Amino acid sequence: MADEKPYHHGDLRAALLAAAEADIAEHGIEAFSLRQVARRAGVSHAAPAHHFGDAAGLLTALAAEGYRQFLAAQLARVRVAGDGPADRIVASGLGYIDFAMARPALFRLMFGSARPDHCEAELNRAAGDAYRHLVDIVTSGGGRTMADEAAVWAMAHGLADLLSAGRLTPIAALEPAARDAVLATILRRIVPEKP
Amino acid sequence: MADEKPYHHGDLRAALLAAAEADIAEHGIEAFSLRQVARRAGVSHAAPAHHFGDAAGLLTALAAEGYRQFLAAQLARVRVAGDGPADRIVASGLGYIDFAMARPALFRLMFGSARPDHCEAELNRAAGDAYRHLVDIVTSGGGRTMADEAAVWAMAHGLADLLSAGRLTPIAALEPAARDAVLATILRRIVPEKP
DNA sequence: TCTCTATCTTGACGGTGTCAGGATGTATGA
DNA sequence: TCATACATCCTGACACCGTCAAGATAGAGA
């Protein structure tokens, strides 16, 4: 009790991040408003500045958290996939697409927006971790060249971006199991040939 | 002469479109400002409203023009490509990527922004023309299934999006001829097999 | 020449991000 | 215990933004 309106929020930082993601999920990144997010979290319009500096700081922190969950989505798929190197590449691609379809606004913030500061240390590290996972998966799957890596990344990213943007509707309309099957077939096409 | 500051601009509509593209190319779509564009074109802050209604109207018209040039970039590559069906698919993909790398801000406006009204008639038609070209190229290249179409589109789009965003730097750093060779190799991997 | 209309300007309104300075709790240390 | 220091949050102000209404200007047609 006694929590009707405590002066100190408790965990305002986390609340603001959650409010920001809800806001961009509802209205899109273009309509993002720091004051709107503050209202949603029930604090004054200048409260976010103390935790994030400015609007770019909040979106940067949100994108960094996004990259961590993005990597987790890929690892979750890999964990339940077969042991073959091709299976792991396909599974990782499906995780890539899972995340993009489940959190389209966050995905666009990470890959299609200039508002986060992509040079900031925490965001850079989170994005680097995800990239290193990609390289590991591809090289352990027999990939040798720069083209192998680019092909796998671009295929997963292209499917994820188009699907999360509401294109490729015939595939997006499939039920999950059938959709996974089609996407796995496509992803398997560009798995580097075993030597 | 007598053009020091004519009250009537002459072709303000075209001037505003050019100013808008220059603006988003310099500062990104997120920093787009209608007043800034008006200043760049040398007119008052409310002048754009007469031609485009509001900011979304201007960006919608700009995106529609972008789709026309996007299709033209693909056709230009196809025109100088070999006659084989696979050659035409690869050429179209290279044109897709050409456009994204040459006009990254415009590409993002078209594919990664919710500010244009993607339901508006002119934009919808221009985007539909580009999509129909894709389907034509794929089906004439032996594609039969929904997966064939999605695979070609996603591969070209993934490469284009990543390259235009400054990722895949090892490929972006190559000189044009070498880059084309690498990209063509990647694109050829997903060309549907001849029956 | 006179009027009509498209074009552009001016001025105002509410909303936004950011900054400075003040208010309010919480923790520290005598 | 209590006073001081600090982190946290609020209030108020400023310039900028998009949009609307109303007025000024120029060219076109009668």
Side-chain angles (χ1 to χ4, degrees):
Chain A
M1 36 141 61
D3 54 0
E4 259 310 323
K5 202 69 191 308
Y7 194 89
H8 283 37
H9 182 283
D11 196 0
L12 181 56
R13 192 190 144 90
L16 287 171
L17 286 173
E21 187 184 353
D23 195 71
I24 65 174
E26 279 181 28
H27 309 106
I29 311 171
E30 352 267 339
F32 172 82
S33 157
L34 204 52
R35 289 170 109 107
Q36 178 68 30
V37 168
R39 273 192 293 270
R40 189 190 280 261
V43 293
S44 82
H45 66 264
H50 187 78
H51 294 274
F52 299 102
D54 54 7
L58 203 171
L59 293 174
T60 300
L62 184 59
E65 180 58 28
Y67 270 108
R68 285 187 282 268
Q69 299 179 10
F70 173 65
L71 177 55
Q74 293 177 252
L75 293 175
R77 280 279 197 170
V78 170
R79 207 173 303 126
V80 299
D83 276 352
D87 294 329
R88 301 178 75 232
I89 293 180
V90 170
S92 211
L94 290 176
Y96 199 117
I97 297 168
D98 283 342
F99 180 85
M101 292 190 72
R103 324 269 286 273
L106 193 49
F107 182 77
R108 289 175 110 67
L109 179 71
M110 293 154 49
F111 283 101
S113 173
R115 297 198 66 175
D117 176 9
H118 294 275
C119 297
E120 187 265 348
E122 187 196 356
L123 173 52
N124 205 269
R125 188 169 54 79
D129 288 345
Y131 178 73
R132 273 181 288 280
H133 164 76
L134 170 79
V135 175
D136 285 353
I137 283 279
V138 172
T139 53
S140 77
R144 293 275 177 279
T145 69
M146 171 177 70
D148 289 330
E149 182 187 313
V152 170
W153 190 6
M155 183 52 106
H157 183 77
L159 289 168
D161 194 50
L162 292 174
L163 283 168
S164 75
R167 300 175 211 248
L168 288 181
T169 46
I171 290 182
L174 295 172
E175 58 182 20
R179 187 174 60 218
D180 281 2
V182 171
L183 294 174
T185 302
I186 295 176
L187 287 167
R188 204 171 292 272
R189 285 198 201 177
I190 43 84
V191 171
E193 299 297 330
K194 296 292 284 290
Chain B
M1 31 151 65
D3 54 0
E4 259 312 322
K5 202 67 189 313
Y7 195 91
H8 283 38
H9 183 284
D11 195 0
L12 181 56
R13 193 189 143 90
L16 287 170
L17 286 173
E21 188 185 353
D23 196 71
I24 66 175
E26 279 181 28
H27 312 299
I29 311 170
E30 352 267 339
F32 173 82
S33 156
L34 204 53
R35 289 170 110 107
Q36 179 68 32
V37 168
R39 275 192 292 269
R40 189 190 280 262
V43 293
S44 81
H45 66 264
H50 186 78
H51 294 275
F52 300 102
D54 54 8
L58 203 170
L59 293 174
T60 300
L62 184 58
E65 181 58 28
Y67 270 106
R68 286 187 282 268
Q69 299 178 11
F70 173 64
L71 177 55
Q74 292 177 253
L75 293 175
R77 281 277 196 171
V78 171
R79 206 173 305 123
V80 299
D83 276 352
D87 295 330
R88 299 178 77 233
I89 293 181
V90 170
S92 211
L94 290 176
Y96 200 115
I97 297 168
D98 283 343
F99 180 85
M101 292 191 72
R103 325 269 287 270
L106 192 51
F107 182 77
R108 290 176 109 66
L109 179 72
M110 293 154 50
F111 283 100
S113 174
R115 298 199 65 174
D117 176 9
H118 294 275
C119 297
E120 187 265 347
E122 186 196 356
L123 173 52
N124 205 269
R125 189 169 53 79
D129 288 345
Y131 178 73
R132 273 182 287 280
H133 163 76
L134 169 80
V135 175
D136 285 353
I137 283 278
V138 172
T139 53
S140 76
R144 293 278 177 274
T145 69
M146 171 178 68
D148 289 329
E149 183 188 310
V152 170
W153 190 6
M155 184 54 105
H157 184 78
L159 289 168
D161 195 50
L162 292 174
L163 283 168
S164 75
R167 298 174 213 250
L168 288 183
T169 44
I171 289 181
L174 294 172
E175 60 182 20
R179 187 174 60 218
D180 281 3
V182 171
L183 294 174
T185 302
I186 296 175
L187 287 166
R188 204 170 293 272
R189 286 197 202 178
I190 43 84
V191 171
E193 300 296 330
K194 293 292 282 293

